[in-house]
Structure formats: structure tokens, C-alpha cells
Amino acid sequence: MLKKLGLCAAFATLLAIAMFAGNAAADEWVNMFDNETLFGWASIGDAQWQVVDKNIVCDGGTGGWLASNCQLADFELVVKMRVAADGTAGLAIRAGLDGHPSENGGATIVLAEPKGSKPDWREITVIANGDKITAKMDGKDIEVIGGGAKRGHVGFQYHREGKVEIASARMRPLNTKPIFNGKDLEGWNIIPGHKSEFKVVDGAINIKNGNGQIETAGTYKDFVVQLDVFSNGDHLNSGVFYRGPVGVFWKGYECQVRNEWAGDDRSKPKDYGTGGNYGNQPARKVVSSDREWFTLTIVCEGNHTSIWNNGYLVSDYFDARPVSPESQGKEGFVPGPGTIHLQGHDPTTDLSYKNIVLAEFPAK
């Protein structure tokens, strides 16, 4: 009897873990740096940043920093950096682009190697959570200078002398909450008068048949959303819309869902490709494949959207256009807020969406 009770307790524990894990995307982590290019980053100042042997390298210029195009709020960041002997560098957190981070509410973590030392790779882990920012280097607590901003850019600072190298920078959002409960369509509204069929199957929203739309009851402006997607067919077409007007069909910005590319070249997406900002910027590579679960991460803040597919940054779009009369993301800037909605595209549609979680950004 005791053995049976022990097995039951173990099973219950495993079930609870599985249910808890179901509230998050399959892989919450995204790569801020792709080890190939500086896509998604902006150089500020005179520092000379480049990619050499799969690392970001800076060893020239009179100073400056490399800032992420996207802004972040609550997150965990793990960076692998190396600084030359007798050199210093900085890691900026939640920084603005106007002036030094210490002047705009950003936080800074300083790396310094003494003269005559042998430079080694350091792993820096930063947790920005609400009003608190903490950091560790190689597992030991280190000082965080400044802070106060609730959102901002992350980046690397070059302090005039000494070579700086970055091998990796991985980030995962914190404090996301489910906006789909995995059981029914509570909290979601179906736009009437269209052909799509929406059902919850095996913990996912399944969309079949002709065009249609299901949207969140809530509206969101600046946020990060993560979700897992499955395309049960060849090159099926769907999309994740955001900042959509309530109850209006297929308006707002669209993160395209279509795993198709030209020939054998995934860098040539068809119809913008999965993760492309539809009508504005195609995905630079189709990372995902049909009949396999993949994870999309969308960070929408102000007039900028970054989209990762399976942790790879596929689109990075600044919308500098005037506001369109009908706030249509394909024709002009959408100031938001709006719904997040999932698209049924045509009679071949057969896609599933699960583990849909979101964190809104705090007010500026």
C-alpha cells in the first residue's frame, strides 16, 4: 500500500510539473546575437564593432556602445564576454539611447581585467525583475551601478582601450502569464461571419478550414508574447496579428506563419516567411518546418517589433510611417493598443497554437 501511495504521489508531482511547464513556451530563450551578423543591434558612438570568428569584437575607436534595437522590461540575460588585460568594458541594462545609461535610468555592469592578467571568458547573468536588477559573474555576485528605468535597451560598452569580445547573449522574458488556458476558448472571441473552425484539441487552439479570426478579449500595446505553433500540412498559411482593432477582421500588424522558401535556400522566404512582418519586412531566414512544433517570440514596443523563430531573430522592424487612417499595419503605423489574434487563412488551414503567454511592459 505504501509503495502504491508513493507511486501515486510521484505521478501527481510529475503531472503538476507537466501542467506548470505547459504555461510556458517550449523554449523561452532567444539569442540576441546570431554569431553571424549584427542584425538587431545599433552602434552608437565611435567604437568599431564587427563579427569575427562568430564573436562580436571591438578593439578600436574612441568609445561607444552596441545597443539592442529592441527594448526589454523584465528578463534574464546570460552573456559570455571577454575583456583584454588592463581593459574595461560595460554591460548596459534597460538603458535609453540618449546619453550615458547613468543619465537615463539605465544600469551598468563593469568588467575589468587587471594589467598582466590572462584574459578569460566570463559568464554574466543578469536578472531584471521589476525595480530590482541583480547580476552574477561566473556565479559570484557583482555590483550593478545605477538603474531605475522599467524598460530599455541592453548593450555592450567599449571604454576606449582594450579588446572586447562577446561570444553569446541569450535572453528569456520574465513574468509572462498565460492568455490561453489550454482547456477552452475563455478569454478569446471569434469574429462572426467567417468559415474557420476553432477548437481546443490536446491543449492547443486548432484552426481549420476557410478564413477566420479568433482574438483576445484584452488589448495590448507594448508587450512580449511567446507561443508554440504547429503547421499540419505543406506550406500552410496563417498569422499572429497584434495591435488589431477590436472586432475588425485581419487588421493590425501580422507575424506571418508560412514555412516555405525558394528551392533549398531558407534565406529566400516565400510570402514573407514565418516570423516575417507581413507587408513590411520578410523573414531573413525560415527557421521552422511544417509538422514540427516551433516557438515564436514577439517583442512589440513603441514603433519597433522584433520577432524570433525558435530563438533566432528573423525580423526586426522600425515603423517610421505616419499613422494610417484605419490603423492598418500594412499601410501605416499602428499606435495601439489592440488585440492579439490568430488567423485562419483558407480552406487548407490546419494549424495549432498552444502555450500562449504574454507580459505587458510597464508604463514609461
Side-chain angles (χ1 to χ4, degrees):
M1 185 66 177
L2 288 175
K3 289 183 178 179
K4 286 184 178 181
L5 287 172
L7 288 172
C8 289
F11 178 76
T13 300
L14 290 172
L15 182 61
I17 292 172
M19 291 176 67
F20 177 80
N23 288 337
D27 189 353
E28 302 167 279
W29 291 91
V30 301
N31 293 305
M32 303 290 288
F33 167 49
D34 62 14
N35 298 108
E36 300 168 346
T37 69
L38 294 178
F39 186 78
W41 297 89
S43 179
I44 299 172
D46 186 51
Q48 306 300 307
W49 302 94
Q50 58 183 322
V51 178
V52 180
D53 296 330
K54 298 185 177 182
N55 296 329
I56 296 175
V57 177
C58 184
D59 59 358
T62 58
W65 68 300
L66 190 69
S68 64
N69 286 339
C70 71
Q71 296 194 55
L72 303 171
D74 292 348
F75 60 92
E76 180 177 1
L77 179 71
V78 180
V79 173
K80 189 176 180 181
M81 288 182 69
R82 181 165 64 181
V83 180
D86 202 24
T88 64
L91 178 60
I93 304 295
R94 287 182 180 166
L97 300 182
D98 51 339
H100 192 276
S102 63
E103 300 175 312
N104 56 43
T108 302
I109 295 153
V110 177
L111 286 79
E113 294 290 350
K115 187 175 183 179
S117 66
K118 182 180 179 180
D120 202 357
W121 290 104
R122 307 293 186 187
E123 184 175 271
I124 303 164
T125 300
V126 179
I127 294 179
N129 190 354
D131 294 329
K132 190 174 182 180
I133 299 175
T134 59
K136 293 180 180 291
M137 184 165 65
D138 297 335
K140 297 180 180 179
D141 293 337
I142 54 174
E143 182 183 11
V144 177
I145 302 170
K150 297 295 181 66
R151 64 168 91 171
H153 305 266
V154 300
F156 310 106
Q157 298 170 314
Y158 178 71
H159 294 165
R160 192 181 290 267
E161 294 180 358
K163 185 178 181 180
V164 177
E165 299 170 275
I166 298 96
S168 61
R170 302 179 69 237
M171 182 276 296
R172 71 180 182 99
L174 297 179
N175 300 323
T176 59
K177 296 180 180 179
I179 55 174
F180 165 56
N181 63 24
K183 299 180 294 184
D184 54 41
L185 297 179
E186 182 181 357
W188 292 77
N189 299 319
I190 298 171
I191 300 295
H194 295 274
K195 296 181 180 180
S196 285
E197 299 173 4
F198 302 93
K199 297 180 180 178
V200 177
V201 180
D202 296 330
I205 297 175
N206 178 252
I207 308 173
K208 286 186 177 178
N209 296 329
N211 65 31
Q213 174 178 317
I214 186 169
E215 65 182 24
T216 55
T219 58
Y220 311 95
K221 181 182 178 182
D222 297 338
F223 59 86
V224 54
V225 64
Q226 292 186 307
L227 66 166
D228 295 334
V229 188
F230 190 93
S231 172
N232 190 28
D234 295 329
H235 317 314
L236 300 185
N237 198 326
S238 183
V240 181
F241 286 70
Y242 49 100
R243 288 192 184 172
V246 176
V248 180
F249 190 59
W250 288 9
K251 301 299 182 185
Y253 295 107
E254 178 186 359
C255 167
Q256 173 70 310
V257 174
R258 184 167 181 174
N259 299 321
E260 187 174 9
W261 51 91
D264 295 327
D265 191 348
R266 286 179 177 259
S267 68
K268 296 180 179 178
K270 288 192 175 183
D271 199 23
Y272 287 84
T274 299
N277 193 311
Y278 195 87
N280 300 314
Q281 185 185 67
R284 61 188 182 122
K285 184 184 293 185
V286 181
V287 177
S288 51
S289 299
D290 292 322
R291 299 180 180 84
E292 294 178 0
W293 284 103
F294 57 92
T295 302
L296 293 174
T297 301
I298 303 170
V299 175
C300 176
E301 196 278 339
N303 71 331
H304 177 260
T305 300
S306 295
I307 302 175
W308 287 262
N309 185 357
N310 282 343
Y312 183 88
L313 184 62
V314 291
S315 63
D316 188 72
Y317 180 66
F318 285 98
D319 195 345
R321 301 169 299 171
V323 176
S324 66
E326 298 179 4
S327 296
Q328 302 173 29
K330 300 175 184 65
E331 287 79 20
F333 175 59
V334 181
T339 66
I340 293 171
H341 53 274
L342 309 177
Q343 179 193 53
H345 187 270
D346 56 66
T348 69
T349 296
D350 186 358
L351 290 103
S352 296
Y353 295 86
K354 68 177 183 179
N355 298 332
I356 309 173
V357 298
L358 179 143
E360 290 189 85
F361 283 13
K364 290 184 177 180

